[in-house]
Amino acid sequence: MDTFVENFHLRQCVERMQYVPFGRTGMKVSKVSFGTGTFSQLYGNLDETKALEAVKYAVQRGINYIDTAPFYGQGRSEEVLGKALRNIPRKAYYVATKVGRYEREFDRMFDYSAKKTRESVERSLQLLGLGYIDVVQIHDVEFAPSLDIVVNETLPALEALRAEGKIRFIGVSAYPLAVLKQIISKAPGRFDTVLSYCRNTLFDDSLKEYIPFFEEHKLGIICASGHGMGLLTNGGPQPWHPAGQQMKDVCHEAAERCVKAGVELGKLAMHHTVQMQGPATFLVGMQTPALVEINLDAFFNGLSNKELTVLQYLKER
């Protein structure tokens, strides 16, 4: 395994982890990957010490793909991740960040210009403390004034940064799957990875119909947020969550059922999401070693009979 480092990794965990070819990049990524959207105010108060421990804990156990973005805490996520990476050999992980989405106020949130794209990557390198970034993704392209701006400004700026050796691969993310298909069709062969989130969960399986298209374009597929950005957890979503009330009520009812049964809905959601064929990696937000453990347990050991019974009950209803 390309990212294995003797005397750093726990060999028995790394041997159990599945590593999957990441599109045409030549990278092999762990089936479970580490999301750091949680390293920001988006998911409540962050215990930085635990967050730093969580990154090391995850990488030692074989997770080799870590995702961040300037939007997560307006640089906070990248800064905290950068601190964590200082204690981890560079060979042991791949890191991905994003461009295009930045501030919390909506009128300043998005900027897909070439100038901002370059400034953003330079800042990410600085915050992460790295000489190069493995993947830079164009964040939530559905919010660009037009997809032409992405093709004519954002993408060429990233291609120039790649030629300078500052980034290795280029990706794209969005919530509407049709928009992902549109942008990939507009710029064939220019994207290496695609990130789709909340589209392979207990309440939405629409990603599966797009998998053949992404595979045809030889993209590394990242399936993110099988927990529906917190909807499918016993703790429930954050106040800002964009889901409608009916969806929140249904997920709350599911969480209550899990609490009564003494199981974690998040673990059931994780188990469900990783069954999908096609994605190279399943990206999940984690900010403590305990959460890493729950997600790895769902992946390595599956579910107990009691957990399977509860999952079956939820699926039927």
Side-chain angles (χ1 to χ4, degrees):
M1 203 269 291
D2 296 347
T3 49
F4 183 78
V5 178
E6 198 66 66
N7 300 325
F8 173 77
H9 279 107
L10 298 175
R11 186 180 281 276
Q12 68 278 24
C13 295
V14 175
E15 283 170 357
R16 286 183 78 192
M17 179 57 76
Q18 266 178 280
Y19 295 93
V20 182
F22 198 34
R24 51 164 175 260
T25 64
M27 291 155 57
K28 279 193 166 177
V29 292
S30 51
K31 200 80 188 221
V32 178
S33 47
F34 194 109
T36 65
T38 51
F39 290 12
S40 69
Q41 80 297 332
L42 290 170
Y43 290 88
N45 292 330
L46 179 71
D47 180 331
E48 194 176 298
T49 309
K50 281 198 170 154
L52 299 180
E53 282 170 21
V55 178
K56 189 173 182 181
Y57 187 92
V59 180
Q60 283 181 316
R61 283 156 184 75
I63 290 177
N64 72 354
Y65 187 83
I66 307 168
D67 175 275
T68 184
F71 180 64
Y72 305 151
Q74 289 57 57
R76 169 99 166 119
S77 169
E78 291 181 316
E79 187 187 0
V80 174
L81 178 57
K83 284 184 194 174
L85 296 178
R86 283 178 213 157
N87 302 310
I88 301 174
R90 181 63 180 97
K91 184 191 172 205
Y93 61 86
Y94 300 120
V95 72
T97 191
K98 306 184 185 76
V99 293
R101 186 169 195 166
Y102 301 104
E103 303 302 331
R104 291 183 77 184
E105 306 74 47
F106 190 77
D107 53 350
R108 295 172 55 229
M109 196 177 278
F110 301 97
D111 186 342
Y112 296 90
S113 68
K115 181 175 180 287
K116 180 65 174 178
T117 298
R118 175 170 284 277
E119 282 169 11
S120 180
V121 171
E122 299 284 6
R123 181 164 188 252
S124 294
L125 284 164
Q126 203 180 338
L127 289 173
L128 292 164
L130 298 177
Y132 67 91
I133 295 165
D134 297 286
V135 182
V136 175
Q137 303 152 105
I138 306 173
H139 203 169
D140 291 345
V141 291
E142 70 269 32
F143 292 103
S146 131
L147 291 182
D148 292 339
I149 291 170
V150 175
V151 174
N152 300 327
E153 290 221 26
T154 329
L155 199 45
L158 291 177
E159 287 165 340
L161 286 156
R162 183 177 59 195
E164 293 162 31
K166 289 175 180 171
I167 73 176
R168 294 175 64 209
F169 301 105
I170 298 169
V172 63
S173 85
Y175 180 66
L177 289 155
V179 172
L180 284 172
K181 186 172 183 177
Q182 216 182 330
I183 188 77
I184 290 158
S185 305
K186 260 182 175 297
R190 291 170 75 184
F191 291 109
D192 304 296
T193 71
V194 59
L195 185 154
S196 163
Y197 64 97
C198 301
R199 296 299 200 173
N200 172 35
T201 66
L202 287 164
F203 55 73
D204 184 341
D205 64 356
S206 49
L207 175 59
K208 67 170 185 247
E209 88 182 73
Y210 286 81
I211 295 280
F213 173 81
F214 296 150
E215 288 179 331
E216 192 187 309
H217 285 260
K218 299 184 171 58
L219 296 165
I221 304 169
I222 303 145
C223 175
S225 207
H227 298 90
M229 301 195 299
L231 277 172
L232 295 168
T233 59
N234 285 7
Q238 294 294 320
W240 53 260
H241 200 290
Q245 198 52 49
Q246 189 200 356
M247 175 71 81
K248 286 180 178 172
D249 292 346
V250 168
C251 293
H252 179 66
E253 207 180 309
E256 282 188 328
R257 178 82 193 183
C258 289
V259 171
K260 269 196 194 117
V263 305
E264 171 49 66
L265 176 56
K267 187 179 175 188
L268 308 188
M270 182 66 185
H271 175 79
H272 173 82
T273 196
V274 297
Q275 305 309 314
M276 179 180 264
Q277 298 301 303
T281 191
F282 293 87
L283 182 65
V284 54
M286 305 183 259
Q287 72 268 58
T288 63
L291 284 172
V292 178
E293 196 47 56
I294 288 172
N295 288 306
L296 285 178
D297 184 35
F299 175 69
F300 285 143
N301 305 317
L303 301 179
S304 67
N305 287 337
K306 178 164 85 164
E307 288 166 334
L308 285 168
T309 305
V310 175
L311 180 59
Q312 196 48 45
Y313 174 89
L314 297 182
K315 283 183 173 179
E316 281 164 11
R317 283 158 181 76

